[in-house]
Amino acid sequence: MEICGQIVSGEHGEIFIRQKSGETLEIGEMLAVGENPISIMMVYDLTYGSQLSQGNLELASGMHIEGMGAGLSFMEENLQNYVIAKVKAVAYVKKNVNGKYEASIPKSLPQFFSKVRKVTSADFEFLSDGKNAEHSLYLGCLRSGSSRLKDMEITIDGPDALTHHILITATTGRGKSNLVKAMLWKLLDKEYCGILVLDPHDEYFGNSAAPGMRDHPKAKENVVYYSPSASAPKGSITLRINTKSVKPWHFNGVVNITDAQSQAMHLIYQRYRDDWIRKMFEESAEAASLAFSDERTGGKSGIEAYLESRGVMEGTFAALKRKISVALDIFEEGGKIIEKGVFTTKETGIGAADDILAALESGKKVIIDTSRLSSYAEILVGSIIANKVFEKYAEYKSAGTLDGKPVVSIVLEEAPRVLGASDGEINVFGRIAREGRKFKIGLIGITQLASLIPREVLANMNTKIILGNEMEAERRAIIESAAQDLSTESKMIASLEKGEALVSSIFTKFAIPIYTPLFNDIVKETKAAESKQPVRKYVGSDD
Amino acid sequence: MPSKSIFDFSNSGDAAKNEETKEKKAPREKHKREAPRSAAAHKHEISKSKIAQPPAPVPPKKEGTIRFAHLADCHLGAFRDDTLRELNIKAFENAIDKSVAEGADFIIIAGDLFHTNVPDMRVAERCARKLRHLKEKGIEVFVLYGSHDYSPNEKSIIDVLKGAGLFNKLGGGEYVGDKLKLKPSEFRGIPIIGLLARTSGLEKSDYEHLDTEALEALPNPKIFVYHSAIAEYRPSFLKDAECVPLSLFPKGFAYYAGGHVHERREVDERGYGTFVFPGHTFGADFRDLESDAEEAPGFYIVDIESGAINLHFVPVEIPEIMLADFKADGKGALEFKEELQHWANGGNFAGKIVMLRVAGKLASGKPNEVELEKIRETVLEKGALVCVLNRGSLSSAERLAVQIDTSKSKDEIEREIIGEFVSKASFKDDALNGKKGAELAISLSGALKQEQRANETKDTYHRRVFGDVRKVMDSAEGQK
Ligand SMILES: Nc1ncnc2c1ncn2[C@@H]1O[C@H](COP(=O)(O)OP(=O)(O)OP(=O)(O)O)[C@@H](O)[C@H]1O
Ligand SMILES: [Mg+2]
Ligand SMILES: [Mn+2]
């Protein structure tokens, strides 16, 4: 056991440790006292300490640098000057007679003057004690300051964590996406959850330049990739959503719609049901081409006349149609319907939303490349699917069959766009954040700006993975809503390197420092362990 | 007479139909909407076949144009009913005759020419005769295995007819390493490539390994023939597991001749070409016939004209199909029977296929008191070619009227109801009768309704349920 320091003073939450000469303690480093029980502590600040008074130190320094004290040195320098680490105890671990660990939040101080050592993986065995590996959610490996305890994988309970939502925050480029990739990779062969990734940067599936989920040995069975691009890799499905799957309430909190417009929308839906959007465009396209020839229509579509007969003000329809047109990327030009995006009124994409739901329900991971979509369209696609999942799972719940279903989680990059404070209606994501856990549906929100997410939603995201962030205001927003008191960790968060994070969760006893390896390295590791392909045969051989 | 199964609330004909074919078709939505469920005045809906209004005729073939016919899913040999089986063959013959009349240079049959790989020889003979007719006229035929006439060891009627030189078989190819290289056939310099189907969408992995680059390098115009549903166009009646995404298809073919989906569809797919599913020529099950009543089935005549593709859908001539829907809800069995008799007596069914659908819950009396067979006889006497009965969900309120004592627990009530039904039944195997039978039914349903546990993989779940069912069966066996 290597000693690196000793407790010299302090109080609960602020223990002072004198660093042993020759050792270097770092901010974020984990230290331990004792063998069984063990007190685990974390360094959160470092200062100098000296036996000499400030005046004497300054005098000595002056003599040094002004060249008057050549040959002068401190007597027993290691004894006189040293580093004081401010630490706080984070966990108190006891191994009882039958080999089970009991970990608790420390309520007492470690023995005064105890010798302090660096932690080893063995100190954290309690983290994996009694855990169900089938249900694990991988986050990375344990970290102590900047050193990585590679053999100590950090996982949390997947179903719990996913349904209680996860927030991943950091300033740009600190490895948020990398972490989510690593997480998804390790989830690919786990059946307990279906994951929907709305991927605005098209970075999760992978391509010839960068690896992604498609490189996983189980990708064929367990990954479904939708992309609107005709040049998307083989096996991907063209993202195309028939407007029959779009319902008026999917626009809630997605597109800003006035009460009058909303009422008009529901009237149209009542009349035409699944064809409501197609009719909006078709009928007015017809009316447009008839406008000059037929005076009776006065250029108005049947829908407009119908709406007006129901007391909807003139002009409401036009405004509503414009909004829907922009959201769906469906336009009308010279009596023709032009579809520029993924939404279509034609005969394709009818089963898409159902297929995605079915895939999620069978524990698959569905990645949707939304990089070419307008942000409205992207959120709308998400909203359609999220609504479907919600409706289906609510049905299961009332039928009492929800228990057998996998958890469904939705990954949202730039989460404040959909979770951000809006004065209007709460959209389906907001609903999931608030009550999704009752239906086994969760969110994985990724953001640079947690402060833009309403406090109530932030408080509902019960696992926070905090990567490097130099913005004080952002750190404050996260720390205020964290599951543990992280008030002393702010500085440390500011200095986290790429891939380094702090996991604060209601499912962990303390905020666990982790490092998530570079995704490419994880892929290489898995690839190396892969086996050979079977020999294939085709029936239609020649005669 | 003891009933077949005490739990059988629906008709058995329906179940048999389900076994018959794999591609299933929901009744067209249009159809559903058109049927006003509430209208008391309309006790039944009768929709007429649309053959009365034929689509635009095919224009005469121009000089320098190559014209071909694209058929799929003829399912020759389908239907147990002799008349329907014959009508199906006739529809195929009609399609071939029309292809000849329209001047087709060649014909593509994109899978499921036959309903099974070893059909009734009379059916095979009829088809062979027609094909010989084509051969004599110098019209080449290209046939692809479908999911129904596929054979893993090339023991299909398709191979017999091919061996007789009656057509070219598409779908040749082999794996070179991990790549599936398909061997093109050709017609006057137009490459025709086929990727054959296997049962239940197993061909998907062939698509995944397809050497698309080699196919894309072939000169255009070229034709890709396949027998699979496409994920992006998946109709609601197919499961997505059985679909192939567009991205696995080779790009840049002028024409993608599809089969398998019994629904007509044309899509111009950017980056690819024209995808066409002609639908069936007659159909292979009752749902197909119901859709035929909405829209006449048929095939495509396709013109390749200086690289451009022109499509003409040609309906086949089939008898008029009459759909008659009757709701039993709230009516007594005798009252309902009278209503049906009245309709049957007054109807004009001459030369028609009549699809009689009855559904709903009788207020009194039993379904068999309606004597649907007699109604059917009347319809046939009145000149119908066939009368297809679909008892759908005709049930009786009486049958469900079990005395339920609400003070009892759910389990107790379940036991009593099962016991009551079992006591009314008699099975050959005595282990299924009486108290023993009831106990067995209860334990079996208990074993089978277990849910997957949260900490369980599908595999362990299956093994657990299977094991439990085994135990139940073994112990029942042991008591004998
Ligand atoms: N764990 C890591 N180890 C080493 N390098 C990393 C690690 N994680 C990320 N990086 C590097 O940092 C780059 C940015 O990472 P990533 O895209 O995950 O950041 P981000 O937080 O998602 O950024 P943005 O906010 O722009 O989306 C990556 O390209 C990668 O090279
Ligand atoms: Mg990112
Ligand atoms: Mn078929």
Side-chain angles (χ1 to χ4, degrees):
Chain A
M1 190 183 74
E2 257 182 81
I3 299 302
C4 61
Q6 192 164 29
I7 296 175
V8 289
S9 66
E11 57 188 89
H12 188 75
E14 190 181 39
I15 297 168
F16 294 100
I17 287 174
R18 178 182 160 141
Q19 173 185 294
K20 183 170 183 260
S21 70
E23 293 287 341
T24 341
L25 295 181
E26 285 182 347
I27 286 196
E29 185 152 9
M30 310 291 280
L31 304 172
V33 172
E35 292 303 328
N36 188 21
I38 310 171
S39 285
I40 295 175
M41 301 173 294
M42 185 198 272
V43 179
Y44 66 85
D45 207 356
L46 296 166
T47 56
Y48 291 111
S50 177
Q51 288 303 304
L52 304 173
S53 72
Q54 192 62 16
N56 283 342
L57 285 168
E58 285 163 16
L59 178 62
S61 162
M63 292 173 76
H64 246 274
I65 56 181
E66 304 305 336
M68 280 172 254
L72 203 72
S73 70
F74 288 110
M75 276 172 60
E76 308 276 356
E77 181 170 7
N78 290 340
L79 280 179
Q80 303 244 21
N81 302 318
Y82 38 85
V83 170
I84 292 286
K86 280 191 201 170
V87 310
K88 69 174 182 184
V90 293
Y92 180 74
V93 187
K94 223 156 99 181
K95 191 176 189 174
N96 64 24
V97 277
N98 41 34
K100 287 257 175 244
Y101 289 99
E102 280 166 27
S104 57
I105 297 164
K107 289 176 191 71
S108 53
L109 284 169
Q111 187 85 51
F112 187 57
F113 235 55
S114 300
K115 300 231 168 75
V116 174
R117 62 183 171 83
K118 297 206 169 185
V119 292
T120 64
S121 297
D123 294 325
F124 292 90
E125 262 163 21
F126 75 94
L127 287 175
S128 39
D129 195 31
K131 265 196 192 162
N132 177 350
E134 287 259 357
H135 277 185
S136 67
L137 179 67
Y138 169 90
L139 300 175
C141 67
L142 186 69
R143 178 176 59 82
S144 174
S146 60
S147 69
R148 287 135 202 192
L149 286 74
K150 289 233 168 70
D151 51 342
M152 191 64 223
E153 260 194 12
I154 298 298
T155 63
I156 50 180
D157 182 76
D160 274 347
L162 290 173
T163 49
H164 287 71
H165 316 300
I166 297 175
L167 182 74
I168 298 170
T169 79
T171 35
T172 182
R174 294 296 185 100
K176 298 183 293 293
S177 301
N178 183 75
L179 188 145
V180 175
K181 278 186 220 168
M183 210 160 94
L184 285 177
W185 182 268
K186 303 268 183 170
L187 276 179
L188 277 193
D189 47 12
K190 299 228 164 27
E191 280 176 4
Y192 74 80
C193 64
I195 306 242
L196 173 71
V197 185
L198 296 172
D199 183 3
H201 307 297
D202 194 16
E203 57 187 332
Y204 289 100
F205 187 65
N207 50 46
S208 47
M213 299 314 134
R214 71 172 196 166
D215 299 293
H216 196 282
K218 283 273 164 94
K220 251 185 208 137
E221 296 94 317
N222 296 344
V223 182
V224 189
Y225 176 64
Y226 282 84
S227 170
S229 161
S231 55
K234 289 203 170 149
S236 59
I237 303 175
T238 322
L239 179 63
R240 208 173 281 167
I241 294 187
N242 197 281
T243 49
K244 280 180 199 272
S245 332
V246 186
K247 309 284 182 247
W249 53 92
H250 294 162
F251 292 93
N252 288 1
V254 175
V255 174
N256 231 327
I257 279 172
T258 65
D259 285 349
Q261 288 161 0
S262 165
Q263 190 204 342
M265 194 154 74
H266 282 90
L267 281 170
I268 301 169
Y269 180 69
Q270 260 169 34
R271 178 158 174 191
Y272 298 104
R273 309 309 297 185
D274 284 358
D275 288 322
W276 72 287
I277 290 175
R278 186 166 61 82
K279 287 285 183 191
M280 277 174 79
F281 288 95
E282 241 173 43
E283 283 208 1
S284 40
E286 261 168 43
S289 54
L290 286 176
F292 298 101
S293 58
D294 190 341
E295 283 177 11
R296 281 168 306 161
T297 63
K300 268 183 196 162
S301 67
I303 294 186
E304 266 177 296
Y306 161 73
L307 288 178
E308 278 169 32
S309 76
R310 295 298 185 95
V312 175
M313 297 250 286
E314 202 178 336
T316 305
F317 175 70
L320 170 68
K321 208 180 117 189
R322 218 175 306 120
K323 284 183 182 169
I324 290 185
S325 168
V326 169
L328 299 178
D329 268 336
I330 298 181
F331 302 91
E332 203 191 295
E333 275 168 37
K336 261 202 171 152
I337 300 174
I338 315 273
E339 294 166 354
K340 297 185 173 166
V342 297
F343 292 97
T344 177
T345 58
K346 310 256 160 60
E347 282 205 62
T348 65
I350 291 172
D354 288 325
D355 289 349
I356 294 171
L357 172 65
L360 293 172
E361 251 187 74
S362 56
K364 293 187 184 180
K365 320 298 177 240
V366 180
I367 301 171
I368 302 188
D369 163 23
T370 58
S371 62
R372 290 149 207 259
L373 271 59
S374 69
S375 78
Y376 271 141
E378 176 190 9
I379 297 169
L380 201 54
V381 169
S383 168
I384 292 167
I385 302 165
N387 268 291
K388 278 227 167 223
V389 177
F390 212 111
E391 285 160 18
K392 197 64 183 265
Y393 271 44
E395 243 173 61
Y396 288 146
K397 188 179 166 75
S398 58
T401 53
L402 189 59
D403 276 356
K405 302 291 166 193
V407 169
V408 170
S409 178
I410 304 175
V411 176
L412 297 170
E413 284 267 0
E414 289 150 58
R417 287 183 309 160
V418 285
L419 293 176
S422 70
D423 346 307
E425 279 168 301
I426 290 175
N427 62 30
V428 64
F429 302 105
R431 253 176 77 206
I432 292 177
R434 287 165 178 89
E435 48 175 346
R437 82 181 55 130
K438 290 185 236 154
F439 303 95
K440 289 177 82 169
I441 310 172
L443 299 173
I444 299 177
I446 303 174
T447 183
Q448 299 179 24
L449 298 167
S451 59
L452 295 185
I453 297 175
R455 283 177 68 117
E456 186 202 349
V457 173
L458 217 46
N460 264 314
M461 310 204 68
N462 286 321
T463 298
K464 296 193 174 67
I465 306 179
I466 309 159
L467 294 102
N469 203 323
E470 52 277 354
M471 285 186 285
E472 232 269 277
E474 289 307 316
R475 295 202 304 267
R476 208 178 321 120
I478 305 157
I479 288 170
E480 273 174 5
S481 64
Q484 281 89 14
D485 174 14
L486 301 181
S487 52
T488 50
E489 270 88 328
S490 185
K491 245 190 217 169
M492 191 190 96
I493 293 167
S495 64
L496 290 175
E497 301 278 348
K498 281 181 181 178
E500 295 179 352
L502 200 60
V503 180
S504 167
S505 167
I506 60 167
F507 304 108
T508 60
K509 282 275 188 287
F510 65 100
I512 305 175
I514 60 162
Y515 171 74
T516 312
L518 192 60
F519 176 67
N520 297 16
D521 294 340
I522 297 180
V523 174
K524 273 182 215 145
E525 222 173 83
T526 319
K527 280 249 146 128
E530 225 179 293
S531 65
K532 266 213 204 151
Q533 287 283 311
V535 178
R536 299 183 178 282
K537 259 203 144 159
Y538 181 64
V539 195
S541 52
D542 293 321
D543 26 2
Chain B
M1 197 188 83
S3 58
K4 258 173 266 144
S5 158
I6 45 177
F7 299 113
D8 186 11
F9 284 76
S10 66
N11 81 328
S12 50
D14 215 34
K17 179 189 78 188
N18 286 353
E19 290 161 18
E20 215 164 292
T21 88
K22 269 228 315 316
E23 300 102 78
K24 254 173 265 132
K25 193 168 171 63
R28 290 232 147 181
E29 280 171 51
K30 212 196 298 164
H31 177 96
K32 276 191 253 158
R33 254 180 286 119
E34 277 168 3
R37 294 272 177 252
S38 55
H42 287 60
K43 290 207 184 93
H44 58 268
E45 322 297 325
I46 297 173
S47 42
K48 287 212 172 140
S49 163
K50 283 185 187 162
I51 308 166
Q53 323 121 36
V58 181
K61 188 164 91 177
K62 282 194 216 128
E63 192 71 33
T65 296
I66 291 187
R67 174 169 279 188
F68 68 93
H70 168 198
L71 286 67
D73 297 289
C74 307
H75 287 267
L76 300 178
F79 297 108
R80 254 173 265 160
D81 179 279
D82 291 342
T83 317
L84 285 174
R85 194 166 58 242
E86 175 60 22
L87 287 172
N88 184 23
I89 297 172
K90 282 243 166 68
F92 166 73
E93 289 171 340
N94 181 253
I96 296 295
D97 290 345
K98 285 194 161 180
S99 304
V100 175
E102 299 295 358
D105 298 303
F106 67 98
I107 297 176
I108 290 173
I109 302 178
D112 286 353
L113 173 56
F114 290 92
H115 193 56
T116 53
N117 59 350
V118 186
D120 186 306
M121 279 309 122
R122 281 166 300 182
V123 175
E125 190 270 339
R126 289 280 290 282
C127 178
R129 197 181 278 268
K130 208 72 204 164
L131 291 168
R132 201 191 68 203
H133 179 64
L134 289 173
K135 192 163 180 74
E136 283 162 6
K137 289 207 173 314
I139 299 172
E140 275 196 68
V141 181
F142 297 85
V143 176
L144 183 74
Y145 266 166
S147 45
H148 281 260
D149 48 19
Y150 154 88
S151 153
N153 43 17
E154 312 210 278
K155 284 181 187 144
S156 163
I157 180 69
I158 300 294
D159 297 288
V160 175
L161 297 178
K162 186 222 164 206
L166 290 172
F167 53 62
N168 305 288
K169 190 178 147 196
L170 294 169
E174 60 176 345
Y175 271 98
V176 178
D178 210 24
K179 285 258 170 230
L180 173 58
K181 306 245 182 216
L182 291 180
K183 192 172 148 249
S185 301
E186 58 114 34
F187 180 86
R188 280 192 227 153
I190 297 176
I192 305 174
I193 290 93
L195 178 51
L196 55 80
R198 296 202 242 162
T199 27
S200 48
L202 277 179
E203 71 273 11
K204 193 167 172 189
S205 80
D206 288 336
Y207 279 91
E208 279 160 358
H209 294 91
L210 188 59
D211 181 5
T212 49
E213 275 156 37
L215 299 178
E216 282 162 7
L218 292 169
N220 236 338
K222 53 190 167 186
I223 301 170
F224 188 77
V225 188
Y226 58 99
H227 188 84
S228 315
I230 294 178
E232 283 83 350
Y233 315 152
R234 181 177 76 85
S236 42
F237 54 87
L238 273 178
K239 279 205 287 294
D240 93 290
E242 295 165 5
C243 296
V244 179
L246 277 173
S247 64
L248 294 179
F249 280 77
K251 293 193 170 141
F253 276 64
Y255 192 80
Y256 294 80
H260 190 54
V261 182
H262 289 210
E263 190 174 76
R264 181 180 150 196
R265 186 157 299 188
E266 314 163 7
V267 188
D268 265 325
E269 195 59 61
R270 225 183 310 145
Y272 291 85
T274 305
F275 282 80
V276 173
F277 289 94
H280 48 249
T281 45
F282 182 79
D285 62 19
F286 300 150
R287 287 214 213 170
D288 287 349
L289 293 184
E290 280 170 12
S291 83
D292 291 347
E294 283 293 313
E295 200 174 358
F299 66 99
Y300 275 84
I301 287 287
V302 186
D303 287 340
I304 303 179
E305 231 178 308
S306 49
I309 292 282
N310 286 315
L311 305 178
H312 313 285
F313 181 72
V314 182
V316 292
E317 278 156 27
I318 60 168
E320 187 177 320
I321 297 176
M322 182 188 229
L323 292 185
D325 276 340
F326 286 88
K327 291 262 164 291
D329 292 316
K331 295 167 193 162
L334 294 181
E335 181 192 351
F336 191 50
K337 176 184 164 185
E338 245 164 63
E339 180 188 338
L340 290 168
Q341 265 311 345
H342 181 74
W343 163 79
N345 285 327
N348 170 20
F349 306 119
K352 292 178 190 168
I353 297 172
V354 178
M355 317 260 319
L356 175 56
R357 280 195 298 209
V358 291
K361 196 193 279 180
L362 291 166
S364 63
K366 298 215 176 68
N368 59 7
E369 288 166 30
V370 181
E371 296 190 297
L372 285 167
E373 281 305 327
K374 280 221 177 112
I375 313 275
R376 194 221 312 251
E377 275 162 31
T378 313
V379 171
L380 289 172
E381 276 161 23
K382 293 269 168 187
L385 292 171
V386 209
C387 178
V388 176
L389 283 184
N390 184 344
R391 268 167 270 234
S393 48
L394 184 63
S395 63
S396 154
E398 277 184 9
R399 209 166 179 182
L400 294 174
V402 177
Q403 292 293 326
I404 291 174
D405 179 351
T406 47
S407 67
K408 289 181 176 156
S409 76
K410 209 173 89 193
D411 285 344
E412 281 172 323
I413 294 171
E414 192 176 81
R415 294 183 76 86
E416 277 178 18
I417 294 177
I418 291 180
E420 196 169 319
F421 276 116
V422 171
S423 68
K424 287 183 192 156
S426 85
F427 296 98
K428 267 199 219 130
D429 190 335
D430 204 41
L432 302 176
N433 289 323
K435 196 158 182 249
K436 253 188 286 168
E439 287 299 337
L440 177 60
I442 291 161
S443 341
L444 263 184
S445 88
L448 286 168
K449 77 186 170 199
Q450 300 181 81
E451 293 258 358
Q452 185 172 0
R453 288 178 193 149
N455 57 358
E456 208 171 32
T457 62
K458 272 186 202 134
D459 260 7
T460 39
Y461 171 56
H462 286 164
R463 253 180 280 130
R464 180 166 61 84
V465 172
F466 192 74
D468 288 357
V469 168
R470 249 262 125 75
K471 268 183 233 153
V472 173
M473 296 302 282
D474 285 350
S475 77
E477 194 72 11
Q479 280 172 20
K480 269 212 289 189

